[in-house]
Amino acid sequence: MVKVREENEKLKLLLSQISRDYQYLQMHLHGLLQNEEETKKCTDASSSSTARDFTHEQNIEEADDLVSLSLGRTSSSIDQPRKDGRSQLSSTNGKDDDDDDKMLHGAGLALELGCRSEPAAQSTDNSSGGPKEDDQTEIWPPSKTLKTTRSGEDEVSQQTHLKKARVSVRARCDAPTMNDGCQWRKYGQKIAKGNPCPRAYYRCTVSPSCPVRKQVQRNSKDMSILITTYEGSHNHPLSMSATAMASTTSAAASMLQSHSSTSQQGLFNSATAPISASTNLQGLNFSGTSTLSQNSRLPQQHFYFPNSSVSTNNSHPTITLDLTVPTPSHFGRFPLASGSSFSSNPRYPSTSFNFSSSLDHNNTLQLQSPWNSISHTASGYFNYGNYGNRINQVGSALNIGKQPIFQEHNKLYQSHVQNQNASPPPPPLHHPQMSTNSIATATKAITLNPNFQSALAAALTSFLGNGGTSSTTGIRENHKSGTIVESSPGLKLKPSESLTSNSISHQAKIE
DNA sequence: CGCATTTGACCTGCGC
DNA sequence: GCGCAGGTCAAATGCG
């Protein structure tokens, strides 16, 4: 208990440090924006009204870009301003400069995971809002129409755009549908062109107003492959497994949204070349998608999805996550059938689609979904697991540790921890040339990288979210110093407090 | 009887 | 404007 308490304190220190870093960055951003506004005001005073409008237009564009980073469900901090009946995105009046500034300032706080467990986030008992208000707070589209339209038309427009962002998952599954932890009701079936297998349409039935849909279809060439396409974000609390799915798909969808917005502006440097339909980008690197970082002059953010591809056909930007392709171990992949089965719906005794937390061979935390790993070492990317930031879930409520594969992982982890305590972490096999110094430097860079902090926050939120349903979950982390920090159930964290993220799958890129 | 699924009809967007 | 394909609706049907 003493040891656990000490580790708990260390983790608390880490979190406080992260919070301080975040606050510092936020204040820095705020300061920059204030300076910018003062400059603008001076400029406005001496310039024509046309120039003033143009400047403000730019300002609003920045605000839109920030909002577009929102992951799925947003917090009340975003809903709140909308309760007065006006769209904060649509304001074009000069007097709303303050609002824009507030929004810019608060955008970081509003960037959260796809699901909240707080009752305030529910649409069913939302006295001030309603399904419509919830719906419009999903993935915010980057559409420029938001800047000039208001209220009702806004909602329709946003909904239309929301439906266009999709996340497709390919996985081998014998059952009619994968069990992703959510409850679905089939509402239609259609024979799609070019595929003899019918496409089934499902909608989420956890909440009557939930806009999430999914399509399930078998691969025409390989019937064992099930293609599940998710669309939208849940507006209700979800189970642990469903939260993981919602978070990851929302993250991917958000990246698609932000990608499209930035590429429109020519800021998505690696994607200024058009993304061809169904181009398989092994190790897809979403770079420069965060305009938050762009606006605040922070380093670009990179999102990594192994075995993923982006398709823009049918006006539906879709990110496809191929889980049928075996992945190198350093990607942190594990067999789909090896994880916990979240059979929340007895009607779907299907093959379990593992969105649980897990350990790969590097004992690296799998952020809930197989593709959502923060572990990657290829092409200059950094493996958090190998270089010191080791997040390990032990004894969670999911009974993960009961499985042989995890027991084996834990054994490996324990032995590895012992080795680490005795000596500095050895360089990974696939990076034999990396020296201890470079490891330390890279580790420092990672831990100082807000992306890592976001990923950590997302990981913690994923485990600690859902109103304490994961109270038995422990998170072990090997921080930059190489010491093991392990949280205990005694660590009290509210998902709504400071644990915010603009992506749960941020990938820091070490230049 | 209630709920989920099935399935044909209908709607909508897009390309020609 | 027309046809096609994707997507949705809702009455019919099935099941526990």
Side-chain angles (χ1 to χ4, degrees), chain A residues 172-424:
Chain A
R172 294 195 181 277
C173 179
D174 293 332
T177 181
M178 294 184 298
N179 180 13
D180 47 26
C182 207
Q183 293 180 351
W184 304 94
R185 175 193 172 102
K186 190 175 182 179
Y187 68 89
Q189 183 169 303
K190 197 83 172 180
I191 296 290
K193 184 184 178 184
N195 192 337
C197 301
R199 175 184 300 165
Y201 299 90
Y202 295 86
R203 62 164 53 103
C204 179
T205 59
V206 176
S207 170
S209 61
C210 183
V212 175
R213 309 272 167 103
K214 80 169 180 180
Q215 300 175 6
V216 179
Q217 188 172 29
R218 296 224 164 260
N219 191 323
S220 58
K221 296 177 181 176
D222 187 350
M223 299 289 190
S224 66
I225 294 177
L226 199 66
I227 303 171
T228 307
T229 304
Y230 296 89
E231 183 179 297
S233 295
H234 297 277
N235 60 2
H236 51 79
L238 291 170
S239 65
M240 189 74 168
S241 55
T243 298
M245 172 53 118
S247 298
T248 48
T249 54
S250 292
S254 290
M255 279 179 259
L256 275 176
Q257 296 282 0
S258 55
H259 156 259
S260 64
S261 73
T262 52
S263 62
Q264 283 174 357
Q265 301 167 26
L267 296 175
F268 187 26
N269 44 8
S270 71
T272 47
I275 299 176
S276 61
S278 301
T279 300
N280 193 347
L281 305 172
Q282 294 286 337
L284 180 64
N285 175 19
F286 295 92
S287 71
T289 56
S290 169
T291 50
L292 175 64
S293 65
Q294 289 159 359
N295 289 339
S296 58
R297 307 299 187 267
L298 291 176
Q300 290 181 345
Q301 303 195 19
H302 301 264
F303 306 96
Y304 177 75
F305 287 94
N307 294 325
S308 60
S309 64
V310 168
S311 172
T312 56
N313 50 348
N314 295 331
S315 73
H316 286 289
T318 304
I319 181 168
T320 302
L321 306 163
D322 192 349
L323 306 181
T324 64
V325 179
T327 315
S329 61
H330 63 265
F331 283 159
R333 209 56 67 89
F334 52 90
L336 279 178
S338 66
S340 301
S341 177
F342 301 105
S343 297
S344 60
N345 187 352
R347 295 185 64 89
Y348 297 107
S350 58
T351 299
S352 171
F353 189 58
N354 192 332
F355 286 96
S356 65
S357 305
S358 171
L359 299 172
D360 66 358
H361 295 301
N362 293 324
N363 289 316
T364 305
L365 172 73
Q366 303 307 304
L367 282 178
Q368 309 270 341
S369 70
W371 65 80
N372 190 24
S373 168
I374 59 173
S375 170
H376 175 40
T377 58
S379 306
Y381 285 83
F382 203 76
N383 188 329
Y384 293 142
N386 277 338
Y387 296 111
N389 293 293
R390 199 173 307 278
I391 309 172
N392 179 11
Q393 178 188 12
V394 289
S396 76
L398 304 175
N399 294 326
I400 287 173
K402 293 178 180 178
Q403 300 167 38
I405 185 172
F406 291 105
Q407 292 172 354
E408 187 63 27
H409 280 137
N410 281 331
K411 287 179 185 175
L412 289 170
Y413 174 71
Q414 295 293 345
S415 65
H416 188 71
V417 165
Q418 290 173 358
N419 292 338
Q420 276 200 322
N421 287 338
S423 62

Side-chain angles (χ1 to χ4, degrees), chain A residues 76-91 95-96 99 102 128-129 133 136 150-151 155:
Chain A
S76 55
S77 61
I78 282 189
D79 288 337
Q80 198 71 27
R82 291 168 170 264
K83 288 177 181 176
D84 58 9
R86 51 184 285 263
S87 166
Q88 55 179 215
L89 291 178
S90 60
S91 94
K95 67 184 181 65
D96 289 326
D99 291 346
K102 287 176 186 173
S128 59
E133 280 202 11
Q136 63 177 312
R150 285 175 180 266
S151 62
E155 296 172 11

Side-chain angles (χ1 to χ4, degrees), chain A residues 427-444:
Chain A
L429 293 175
H430 42 276
H431 278 303
Q433 75 283 5
M434 187 166 277
S435 67
T436 307
N437 278 345
S438 62
I439 291 173
T441 304
T443 302
K444 187 177 180 181

